[in-house]
Amino acid sequence: MESSSSGGGSARRGSGGGSSSWGSVGDYFDIPAKGAPVERLKKWRQAALVLNASRRFRYTLDFKKEEQKEEVRRKIRAQAHVISAAYRFKEAGRIHVQPKEAPVPPADGALGFGIKEEQITGLNRDHNYSALQQYGGVSGIASMLKTDAEKGINGDDSDLAARRNAFGSNTYPRKKGRSFLAFVWDACKDLTLIILMVAAAVSLALGITTEGIKEGWYDGASIAFAVLLVVFVTAISDYKQSLQFQNLNEEKQNIRLEVVRGGRRIMVSIYDLVVGDVVPLKIGDQVPADGILISGHSLSIDESSMTGESKIVHKDQKSPFLMSGCKVADGYGTMLVTAVGINTEWGLLMASISEDSGEETPLQVRLNGVATFIGIVGLSVAVAVLVVLLARYFTGHTYNPDGSVQYVKGKMGVGATIRGVVRIFTVAVTIVVVAVPEGLPLAVTLTLAFSMRKMMRDKALVRRLSACETMGSATTICSDKTGTLTLNQMTVVEAYFGGKKMDSPDNPQILSADVTSLIVEGIAQNTSGSIFEPEGGQEPEVTGSPTEKAILSWGLKIGMRFNETRSKSSILHVFPFNSEKKRGGVAVHLGGSEVHIHWKGAAEIILDSCTSWLDADGSKQSMTPEKAAEFKKFIEDMAASSLRCVAFAYRQHEMAEVPNEDQRDEWKLPEDNLIMLGIVGIKDPCRPGVRESVGLCTAAGIKVRMVTGDNIQTARAIALECGILSDPNVSEPVIIEGKTFRALSDLEREEVAGKISVMGRSSPNDKLLLVKALRSRGHVVAVTGDGTNDAPALHEADIGLSMGIQGTEVAKESSDIIILDDNFATVVRVVRWGRSVYANIQKFIQFQLTVNVAALIINVVAAVSSGNVPLNAVQLLWVNLIMDTLGALALATEPPTDHLMQRPPVGRREPLITNIMWRNLIIMALFQVSVLLTLNFKGVSLLQLTNDDRAHADKVKNTFIFNTFVLCQVFNEFNARKPDELNIFKGILGNHLFIGIIAITVILQALIVEFLGKFASTVRLSWQLWLVSIGLAFFSWPLAFVGKLIPVPDRPFGDFFSCCRRGKQASDDDGKITIEHSAV
């Protein structure tokens, strides 16, 4: 459990996707966390020792299903291509020949609407532009659908119900999940259980034949019952996991989006969308249904999800059809929904493919390596036991409880001989069941399913399973500032207009009416936000991004009437805000030849483009070096107060110089010779508790770095407030600008990346460069992002964390985990859960291996020495159930503790079984083996059973050994909870599942011993023997306590073994050891 962050470092370099040595045996069980090649995934499956393939590989990638999905995608994409080609063909014909268009069937009224479902669906699916024109264009379709293109639909319950009734709902038929019986059937496919069922049937038949039905059915029936118990408990556990994954899949698809209803923008689930809805679209959004563009500016759509071609398609009034499932690549606009659910190509695609395909995680694969290694040892032991027992049996060295020889050559009947052989064979097969830890890799799935459900409550939605465990190895978090470290509740608190600071930012009285009018015009027209002005004098409702909302709210305070201002001028062209250029612009026509081009963006960038400024009277003044320095000083002062600085500027333009409408999309808005209007300072307070969260990360060996688009001084001030920086006077490279970092060579970037704490004025590409540099230096990198341009960095990072509130759909799809509340504290909780996954698996491994080692040694030694085993088939199956399914449920669902955040990150190539675990395991296994072997050979005298009948004394002794062995596991389960802590009861009351499983185990054990003797071959124990049994098992606690005081070396035991090998075959030997060292 002890590790160092450097472990994570070597991990990064060693686990790259292209390692040349992965063909060695151990490396089969070592896959990268992201983007593992298919061949590599197939190799580990072939190398694994598996008894039940359908269960073991259930939560791994199903190659056959993936191929079927791809085939469905190809068919639907082919259909999209055919429609597109036909549309282009018709368009070409229309342009060159211009024949008379065939009349479109008249729109029929349907359930109160002016058009039928199949007519409007066909219109969009066929991209039938001429039919659209005949229906009266988008306004004609809108009136048929009883929609106002500006205010949307009414949106009351009866209206929504009528639309769903007429045009369907935005859902598609889901493929049913697997039934409980399917899981029962999977559990039955275990090879060892099948063999045991056959053995049970043979034993039952022979028993009834030789002893009669009254006594002869016990042996066979008891094995069959035990097997069925294992099957049903396994199936119930697996079925519950499956339901959890199903629920998480549904949550992933439930996108929240903005619609306009009754004139106001509201958030609804994608499933609540109806035909006729007006949906605002912006960069990064997913098109939620099929529809027609109402209006848009520079709107470009990425249709690769539907067509398979990474081609960006520009949308305007001549190409207005939008396909569900595509992404907005640039610009913004509004669309009218014309088809939903199964009536869309996307709906057909989603209905055709199931979402339950698995994904193997590195830890899961490594555990398959552990299971394979242990399984090979167990299988060898079982074969040895089988050979020894058969040899002793047929040579007359196996005795009945009464002391008589079991097999006498020539005097035994065929039935009795076969029955004896079946009993021996059953014991050997049961040893395989116990020895091959089939449930070990599935314990990862169990703990991941549990963690994912709990993380959902902690406001984190896991999109990719392996991200959970990779988060436990994270050595650095590159976090955005806005909304993650801050509250995203922005307000304008300072303003600098007319060449001087305003006493109150909300009081524009010092400015002339002309200046105020220009400012208001720039705010109202150059925005992607909106204001709903209710009737009756109620407060206006402002929507948009937090920055837009802050500026629009300030505009209202200085007298802006949003709708009235927008109606005074018309928008000619828009340059949407761009995170690379950090500004956005708009050209508006005021009438006649007068055109204003307004720009808004990062204050120092806008200032650099200004050659003059507007004073309070509206007079244009030249931007002298002194005045520019005054503006810069004001920007720096605001930034030092942790304010975001946004500048407003404009320039005049002639209508004659504006390109005509056909060429306007290519028009680049002039951005030079601007006139500075003024600057606002926007306050976004730090989140409460963010300083503590950063401190937690630092204590846990995780470096938090802030990467922000804000200027360097604002970034410094916020970083000091958050605790990311402690010294206000730090300089490069601790705090660095994006352009400086960008200008460095690859080698220089790698050198400085580890030293960077804050990066200001960064672009999404700078974030990507930082992630690459950190990873190449051996860091395991988690990165947060919300914009479309953050997608490459989210994809490149070991763990991509997108924002649930401000994040675009493109960013979310590129991420591994969605932070639903955009809060940095949630990121820290995700780290705790990631570490918890790893720690819980280690607890389970320690517990399971102790049982493995003890059970194997006891049965082997007893078999070799006496020809009999103290633990029979039914008892071993019960032990297997405790060890496998119940043990996993108890230990793999431990909630995370603060202790996990007080140690360094876990190296991804660090051995799963640490030195601390080896110490605990050896101490416990030695104790259990010593006690039980002593009881096996001296039990009759030690338990004072010498006066009893020999057969009865042996039964009591074996029952006592079985009881003590099981109780040892119960007590050891407590030890396994805290492998490296002395207090094993800490937080135990918080884990109700653990307490419940311990109680169930103890109750069932008492029932087996006291009331199910015929089935389990046990006899009732006296209360004195129960006390002795409990006392021996209880000794596990003080022994474990003392054992934890024994120091262990930091260097993994596996390294000592690997050092013993030298010479020519060094590389081969290293490969062979990898199973134990890398996987184990």
Side-chain angles (χ1 to χ4, degrees):
M1 304 288 274
E2 293 168 346
S3 61
S4 65
S5 54
S6 61
S10 59
R12 179 64 255 160
R13 288 185 289 276
S15 65
S19 172
S20 60
S21 64
W22 69 270
S24 64
V25 175
D27 280 342
Y28 288 155
F29 299 107
D30 179 21
I31 63 166
K34 269 186 174 181
V38 170
E39 280 307 308
R40 196 156 170 179
L41 296 179
K42 285 180 179 174
K43 285 283 183 187
W44 79 258
R45 286 165 170 74
Q46 292 160 7
L49 174 70
V50 179
L51 299 175
N52 185 353
S54 62
R55 181 168 182 249
R56 178 80 75 88
F57 297 141
R58 181 184 304 127
Y59 295 109
T60 58
L61 190 68
D62 189 324
F63 299 118
K64 195 175 176 183
K65 267 190 186 175
E66 283 301 301
E67 285 170 14
Q68 288 170 352
K69 275 188 190 180
E70 201 48 50
E71 185 58 35
V72 170
R73 284 193 190 101
R74 274 197 293 270
K75 284 177 183 173
I76 289 176
R77 281 170 178 169
Q79 187 178 339
H81 280 303
V82 169
I83 290 166
S84 175
Y87 170 68
R88 285 199 295 269
F89 182 74
K90 279 175 72 178
E91 278 300 295
R94 187 175 64 83
I95 292 164
H96 291 104
V97 183
Q98 293 187 340
K100 285 190 175 180
E101 291 281 355
V104 174
D108 293 334
L111 300 170
F113 295 95
I115 191 166
K116 281 184 177 175
E117 181 182 10
E118 55 269 25
Q119 288 176 309
I120 196 165
T121 301
L123 174 78
N124 214 85
R125 189 172 288 168
D126 299 339
H127 289 200
N128 195 337
Y129 184 72
S130 56
L132 176 65
Q133 295 305 106
Q134 290 186 42
Y135 284 136
V138 69
S139 56
I141 296 287
S143 70
M144 287 178 189
L145 293 174
K146 298 183 178 178
T147 299
D148 184 308
E150 291 286 326
K151 295 183 178 178
I153 61 172
N154 179 351
D156 59 31
D157 290 344
S158 59
D159 181 33
L160 295 175
R163 290 174 187 278
R164 289 195 186 101
N165 191 30
F167 304 106
S169 59
N170 200 26
T171 55
Y172 47 88
R174 300 281 174 88
K175 288 197 172 181
K176 281 188 177 179
R178 302 174 81 229
S179 67
F180 174 66
L181 289 176
F183 286 94
V184 172
W185 178 242
D186 270 3
C188 289
K189 289 179 186 172
D190 193 309
L191 180 63
T192 47
L193 296 185
I194 292 167
I195 293 169
L196 286 174
M197 285 302 276
V198 172
V202 173
S203 183
L204 187 67
L206 291 170
I208 292 169
T209 307
T210 54
E211 294 180 30
I213 196 162
K214 194 171 183 183
E215 294 292 326
W217 67 280
Y218 285 122
D219 272 4
S222 57
I223 294 169
F225 177 76
V227 169
L228 287 173
L229 183 65
V230 169
V231 164
F232 275 97
V233 171
T234 303
I236 289 165
S237 171
D238 290 352
Y239 180 59
K240 286 188 76 176
Q241 279 182 57
S242 170
L243 291 178
Q244 286 177 14
F245 284 127
Q246 239 172 285
N247 293 338
L248 284 162
N249 267 333
E250 284 176 19
E251 197 62 46
K252 276 190 255 183
Q253 292 161 3
N254 186 10
I255 298 167
R256 304 282 300 172
L257 57 105
E258 247 184 353
V259 297
V260 181
R261 288 181 183 172
R264 60 160 58 92
R265 290 190 183 192
I266 58 168
M267 296 296 290
V268 299
S269 162
I270 192 168
Y271 300 130
D272 295 333
L273 206 64
V274 292
V275 169
D277 259 325
V278 172
V279 181
L281 296 172
K282 61 182 183 302
I283 184 168
D285 282 351
Q286 177 175 310
V287 179
D290 282 2
I292 303 169
L293 183 68
I294 297 171
S295 64
H297 301 288
S298 308
L299 187 67
S300 299
I301 304 291
D302 177 1
E303 294 185 346
S304 58
S305 59
M306 286 309 301
T307 63
E309 295 176 0
S310 54
K311 186 180 172 188
I312 305 299
V313 182
H314 184 73
K315 294 291 175 183
D316 54 25
Q317 296 307 323
K318 290 179 182 174
S319 175
F321 298 105
L322 299 164
M323 283 195 290
S324 176
C326 300
K327 305 290 187 299
V328 180
D330 200 6
Y332 58 88
T334 53
M335 69 174 272
L336 174 69
V337 175
T338 56
V340 292
I342 203 71
N343 291 328
T344 69
E345 302 286 350
W346 184 253
L348 282 173
L349 177 65
M350 296 310 286
S352 306
I353 59 176
S354 60
E355 284 293 317
D356 60 349
S357 64
E359 167 224 345
E360 50 257 63
T361 72
L363 191 53
Q364 202 175 352
V365 176
R366 284 179 76 188
L367 282 169
N368 269 289
V370 177
T372 298
F373 176 75
I374 298 166
I376 289 167
V377 173
L379 205 55
S380 309
V381 168
V383 170
V385 169
L386 179 64
V387 170
V388 169
L389 288 179
L390 285 174
R392 290 187 67 104
Y393 179 73
F394 285 112
T395 55
H397 289 86
T398 306
Y399 303 96
N400 289 314
D402 60 4
S404 61
V405 177
Q406 275 190 11
Y407 177 80
V408 181
K409 192 176 181 182
K411 293 183 180 179
M412 295 284 286
V414 176
T417 304
I418 293 172
R419 197 174 179 199
V421 171
V422 167
R423 193 177 284 128
I424 290 168
F425 187 70
T426 306
V427 168
V429 171
T430 312
I431 288 174
V432 175
V433 174
V434 175
V436 180
E438 196 72 349
L440 198 53
L442 292 166
V444 181
T445 320
L446 179 69
T447 190
L448 285 173
F450 170 77
S451 302
M452 285 164 74
R453 193 178 79 243
K454 294 288 187 184
M455 283 163 80
M456 205 45 204
R457 291 180 193 169
D458 279 349
K459 303 292 182 190
L461 173 62
V462 178
R463 295 189 75 253
R464 214 166 48 81
L465 268 181
S466 56
C468 265
E469 61 191 51
T470 311
M471 203 67 189
S473 300
T475 59
T476 186
I477 299 172
C478 299
S479 175
D480 283 340
K481 175 187 77 72
T482 307
T484 309
L485 297 168
T486 61
L487 279 169
N488 227 356
Q489 294 172 1
M490 300 192 184
T491 46
V492 173
V493 293
E494 284 191 26
Y496 190 90
F497 283 84
K500 56 187 173 182
K501 183 177 177 181
M502 294 166 65
D503 294 334
S504 165
D506 306 341
N507 183 11
Q509 289 176 356
I510 62 161
L511 305 174
S512 69
D514 289 347
V515 174
T516 307
S517 173
L518 272 171
I519 295 167
V520 163
E521 181 182 276
I523 292 171
Q525 295 288 29
N526 191 13
T527 182
S528 58
S530 176
I531 297 176
F532 171 66
E533 297 170 337
E535 295 171 7
Q538 295 170 319
E539 280 290 307
E541 295 173 18
V542 183
T543 54
S545 72
T547 308
E548 294 288 5
K549 281 165 75 175
I551 292 167
L552 288 171
S553 299
W554 177 68
L556 290 172
K557 289 174 184 173
I558 62 170
M560 174 181 73
R561 293 184 174 276
F562 186 71
N563 292 331
E564 187 183 308
T565 305
R566 283 173 74 92
S567 65
K568 288 178 181 174
S569 57
S570 59
I571 295 175
L572 297 172
H573 186 58
V574 172
F575 177 84
F577 180 84
N578 184 304
S579 54
E580 290 283 350
K581 291 201 165 186
K582 310 236 175 269
R583 59 181 176 269
V586 63
V588 294
H589 183 213
L590 281 77
S593 63
E594 195 178 1
V595 172
H596 285 169
I597 295 171
H598 286 276
W599 285 95
K600 172 182 77 182
E604 67 271 29
I605 292 173
I606 296 287
L607 180 60
D608 286 344
S609 300
C610 291
T611 53
S612 50
W613 59 280
L614 222 56
D615 68 13
D617 300 328
S619 307
K620 191 167 101 172
Q621 307 291 337
S622 178
M623 183 69 75
T624 60
E626 293 76 23
K627 193 64 187 178
E630 193 181 312
F631 272 110
K632 279 180 183 169
K633 176 75 170 66
F634 183 70
I635 292 167
E636 285 168 11
D637 289 347
M638 284 201 290
S641 304
S642 67
L643 302 185
R644 170 175 281 189
C645 307
V646 177
F648 299 87
Y650 91 110
R651 61 167 288 168
Q652 293 177 331
H653 204 69
E654 287 298 315
M655 189 64 194
E657 295 174 20
V658 175
N660 60 40
E661 207 166 329
D662 290 342
Q663 298 166 326
R664 207 170 285 164
D665 287 332
E666 306 300 320
W667 182 33
K668 191 181 177 196
L669 289 183
E671 49 189 306
D672 54 347
N673 297 324
L674 300 184
I675 304 165
M676 172 65 79
L677 291 172
I679 303 165
V680 292
I682 301 173
K683 180 73 176 171
D684 184 14
C686 264
R687 283 186 180 273
V690 76
R691 195 179 183 89
E692 290 76 11
S693 297
V694 170
L696 261 175
C697 285
T698 307
I702 302 167
K703 170 87 172 167
V704 180
R705 306 168 203 271
M706 182 202 289
V707 184
T708 177
D710 278 348
N711 93 30
I712 202 89
Q713 299 307 329
T714 306
R716 186 195 297 267
I718 292 284
L720 285 165
E721 212 175 320
C722 294
I724 292 170
L725 290 179
S726 51
D727 179 5
N729 301 313
V730 289
S731 56
E732 281 186 20
V734 177
I735 182 165
I736 194 169
E737 275 205 342
K739 64 181 180 185
T740 310
F741 182 71
R742 197 183 316 146
L744 300 173
S745 68
D746 288 350
L747 200 61
E748 287 170 330
R749 277 201 293 269
E750 282 185 29
E751 287 299 316
V752 303
K755 300 170 188 172
I756 294 172
S757 289
V758 177
M759 188 185 286
R761 276 289 173 250
S762 68
S763 69
N765 192 50
D766 297 332
K767 189 187 281 187
L768 177 62
L769 291 172
L770 177 62
V771 169
K772 283 182 173 176
L774 287 168
R775 289 188 75 205
S776 63
R777 293 294 288 175
H779 284 282
V780 180
V781 184
V783 66
T784 70
D786 53 13
T788 303
N789 293 337
D790 286 328
L794 291 168
H795 192 265
E796 175 69 22
D798 295 283
I799 313 103
L801 305 159
S802 64
M803 300 296 114
I805 299 170
Q806 287 305 312
T808 63
E809 283 308 311
V810 172
K812 288 174 188 175
E813 285 203 2
S814 297
S815 69
D816 306 307
I817 298 172
I818 301 172
I819 306 300
L820 297 172
D821 61 354
D822 292 14
N823 192 343
F824 186 77
T826 304
V827 176
V828 179
R829 286 197 289 271
V830 170
V831 174
R832 277 165 56 103
W833 278 110
R835 292 187 172 196
S836 172
V837 167
Y838 199 85
N840 286 351
I841 292 304
Q842 288 186 312
K843 292 170 189 176
F844 181 55
I845 291 171
Q846 181 184 307
F847 172 69
Q848 190 166 49
L849 289 190
T850 307
V851 186
N852 273 129
V853 171
L856 283 177
I857 292 175
I858 292 157
N859 271 359
V860 170
V861 173
V864 171
S865 59
S866 66
N868 282 312
V869 287
L871 300 172
N872 64 28
V874 175
Q875 291 167 358
L876 281 172
L877 283 170
W878 169 233
V879 168
N880 181 64
L881 197 62
I882 294 171
M883 176 183 79
D884 201 330
T885 310
L886 295 178
L889 279 169
L891 292 169
T893 56
E894 277 279 318
T897 60
D898 291 337
H899 179 69
L900 291 171
M901 296 297 284
Q902 290 163 9
R903 57 189 189 207
V906 177
R908 288 189 300 189
R909 292 286 290 271
E910 192 171 304
L912 272 173
I913 307 175
T914 62
N915 292 357
I916 287 175
M917 290 166 68
W918 278 121
R919 178 197 64 197
N920 298 345
L921 192 157
I922 291 165
I923 290 169
M924 276 300 110
L926 281 175
F927 165 67
Q928 290 182 18
V929 168
S930 306
V931 168
L932 298 174
L933 284 181
T934 304
L935 287 169
N936 188 57
F937 296 114
K938 300 287 182 185
V940 174
S941 58
L942 287 172
L943 299 173
Q944 298 175 356
L945 301 170
T946 46
N947 298 327
D948 282 19
D949 169 64
R950 183 170 174 179
H952 182 259
D954 268 356
K955 274 198 167 184
V956 171
K957 178 199 76 175
N958 285 345
T959 303
F960 184 80
I961 288 172
F962 167 57
N963 198 43
T964 305
F965 183 61
V966 169
L967 290 177
C968 277
Q969 309 325 318
V970 170
F971 280 86
N972 193 35
E973 221 158 334
F974 285 86
N975 291 332
R977 283 187 70 244
K978 304 286 179 186
D980 55 351
E981 291 181 65
L982 295 174
N983 183 3
I984 59 173
F985 304 107
K986 190 176 177 184
I988 197 163
L989 295 176
N991 191 348
H992 304 299
L993 188 58
F994 180 88
I995 295 167
I997 284 169
I998 293 291
I1000 288 167
T1001 307
V1002 171
I1003 291 165
L1004 286 175
Q1005 176 63 16
L1007 286 172
I1008 288 167
V1009 170
E1010 296 297 311
F1011 303 105
L1012 297 173
K1014 286 279 188 184
F1015 282 97
S1017 303
T1018 58
V1019 291
R1020 289 189 175 186
L1021 297 177
S1022 65
W1023 65 268
Q1024 292 97 332
L1025 288 178
W1026 267 100
L1027 283 180
V1028 174
S1029 196
I1030 292 166
L1032 285 170
F1034 175 81
F1035 195 69
S1036 302
W1037 285 352
L1039 186 67
F1041 184 91
V1042 172
K1044 286 172 187 173
L1045 301 175
I1046 301 170
V1048 292
D1050 291 332
R1051 191 178 177 190
F1053 286 153
D1055 284 0
F1056 293 107
F1057 294 121
S1058 61
C1059 286
C1060 298
R1061 302 291 185 101
R1062 290 286 184 271
K1064 186 181 172 185
Q1065 293 182 333
S1067 60
D1068 294 336
D1069 289 344
D1070 285 348
K1072 288 169 187 169
I1073 289 167
T1074 313
I1075 290 183
E1076 192 167 356
H1077 179 225
S1078 176
V1080 179

